[in-house]
Amino acid sequence: MGILLGFVPFIIFALLSGISVSLALWLAFAAAFAIGIRDFLHAKMIRMLDITCLMLFAMLALYTGFIQPSLPVQAVRMIADTVLLLLALVSMARKMPFTEQYMRDAMPEGFWDTPQFSRASYLLSAVWAAAFLVMGVADGLTTFAHHLSFSLDVAIGLAALALAIGFTVRYPSRLLAAQQA
């Protein structure tokens, strides 16, 4: 599903942030830029997730590079998780779940106006919001309360990410199969 491509910058950041925050942010920004350009050239639009990742990683890379280079990796991860959580929540509150743009690519056009399609868009956005919340809380506990080790924080984040990805990959195909039955 195309949404997974939209999360590549975030995944790059999550995987590389333990090595170098600066490198992880700049590579995530580069990936967000490349994906945004690719999607714009292909579909003549930039999705909410693409814009959010582009702006998020550009601002974080510049901030940690020039203003506060000593910002702990967990704090940077918490900021990224919080911004993505806000994207999911605000998009649902505005009645345009950010996952809908990707689901339109994966589902037949005749399915777009059905209640099942709308529910699926909200459910996928809610699953991602839950993953970002879990990741942000783990990052916050590591940064401010020091209740978690960094490796446990990363493991929790990767587990939440894996669960959200797994659900995102499986759910739309099950929905389509049920619709066609």
Side-chain angles (χ1 to χ4, degrees), residues 35-47:
I35 291 166
I37 291 294
R38 176 197 161 273
D39 286 351
F40 181 75
L41 292 175
H42 176 72
K44 302 297 184 241
M45 65 178 271
I46 297 179
R47 294 181 173 106

Side-chain angles (χ1 to χ4, degrees), residues 12-172:
I12 288 171
F13 170 72
L15 292 174
L16 297 178
S17 61
I19 298 168
S20 166
V21 174
S22 182
L23 175 67
L25 288 170
W26 285 109
L27 288 178
F29 168 68
F33 183 79
I35 291 166
I37 291 294
R38 176 197 161 273
D39 286 351
F40 181 75
L41 292 175
H42 176 72
K44 302 297 184 241
M45 65 178 271
I46 297 179
R47 294 181 173 106
M48 285 184 275
L49 179 59
D50 295 341
I51 285 260
T52 302
C53 283
L54 185 66
M55 291 176 18
L56 168 69
F57 290 117
M59 290 191 292
L60 280 173
L62 291 169
Y63 183 77
T64 60
F66 297 104
I67 297 172
Q68 190 170 358
S70 62
L71 195 63
V73 64
Q74 297 92 337
V76 176
R77 289 168 50 102
M78 187 182 69
I79 292 166
D81 296 336
T82 302
V83 168
L84 291 173
L85 172 62
L86 290 172
L87 164 70
L89 295 175
V90 168
S91 73
M92 289 189 293
R94 293 184 62 217
K95 301 198 184 314
M96 180 62 168
F98 79 97
T99 56
E100 185 175 311
Q101 294 174 315
Y102 295 96
M103 286 189 59
R104 288 183 184 270
D105 292 342
M107 301 287 190
E109 191 172 340
F111 190 59
W112 295 357
D113 294 325
T114 66
Q116 294 89 351
F117 181 83
S118 180
R119 277 194 303 272
S121 296
Y122 279 97
L123 181 59
L124 282 174
S125 291
V127 164
W128 281 102
F132 297 138
L133 178 64
V134 167
M135 294 162 67
V137 167
D139 292 333
L141 288 173
T142 304
T143 304
F144 299 112
H146 307 290
H147 291 309
L148 298 176
S149 68
F150 180 68
S151 57
L152 183 56
D153 175 24
V154 171
I156 290 170
L158 290 175
L161 198 57
L163 289 171
I165 289 170
F167 186 81
T168 300
V169 167
R170 289 185 183 102
Y171 182 70

